[in-house]
Amino acid sequence: MTAKIKKIIQHQFYQFISQKLPQFLAILGIVTAVLFWGIGSAIASDGPDPLTVPSSTSEATPNRPTLDTNTIPSAKVSQFVGAYLQVLRQIEGRQQELLSAPTSLESQRIEREIESASIAAIAQAGLTKQEYLQMLSLANIDPEFGERIAAAIQEAKNQE
């Protein structure tokens, strides 16, 4: 990992501390996408998904989620929130270690460990990686759904 990337990640973390949770959802989405697949392949769809509803505009914008956020059941939102909090803990818990890794090989090893733990947390919550990333993306592009997710996250944190 280059020093420039480390500085970007560190800068993003400090922005979170000084801003609201919805801004952090966007940052976490980017970090998660990079950890899972890299920027290019995170956007690509690898087949039909139960959360994706076909639409006549899906040909024009095939990489955008086409889900009606009003039809997402609260159980799915709860699954997402549980997974999100686990992924967040993985990233926050290892961020300083990642930023201070002495070599790029060490950084890559830590990134792989974070990725593996995050994938396991998502699966344990009952979601696929694609479902998780779709819901994360929707929370960032649909203000109403983002508020719904932020409220559910806050409620989950209050219950901890």
Side-chain angles (χ1 to χ4, degrees), residues 54-104:
S55 75
S56 59
T57 61
S58 64
E59 291 78 24
T61 56
N63 295 330
R64 295 203 53 185
T66 56
L67 180 65
D68 178 5
T69 57
N70 295 322
T71 63
I72 298 175
S74 60
K76 260 309 179 205
V77 170
S78 295
Q79 288 175 305
F80 171 79
V81 167
Y84 171 84
L85 290 173
Q86 289 300 317
V87 169
L88 178 63
R89 286 184 194 108
Q90 290 298 322
I91 293 170
E92 286 180 341
R94 306 285 304 270
Q95 184 175 19
Q96 191 57 41
E97 181 183 0
L98 184 62
L99 292 172
S100 63
T103 66
S104 64

Side-chain angles (χ1 to χ4, degrees), residues 35-36 94 98 104-119:
L35 286 175
F36 284 151
R94 306 285 304 270
L98 184 62
S104 64
L105 286 176
E106 182 68 11
S107 293
Q108 291 171 358
R109 181 190 64 77
I110 296 166
E111 287 173 353
R112 284 190 303 273
E113 290 174 3
I114 293 169
E115 177 183 0
S116 295
S118 297
I119 290 169

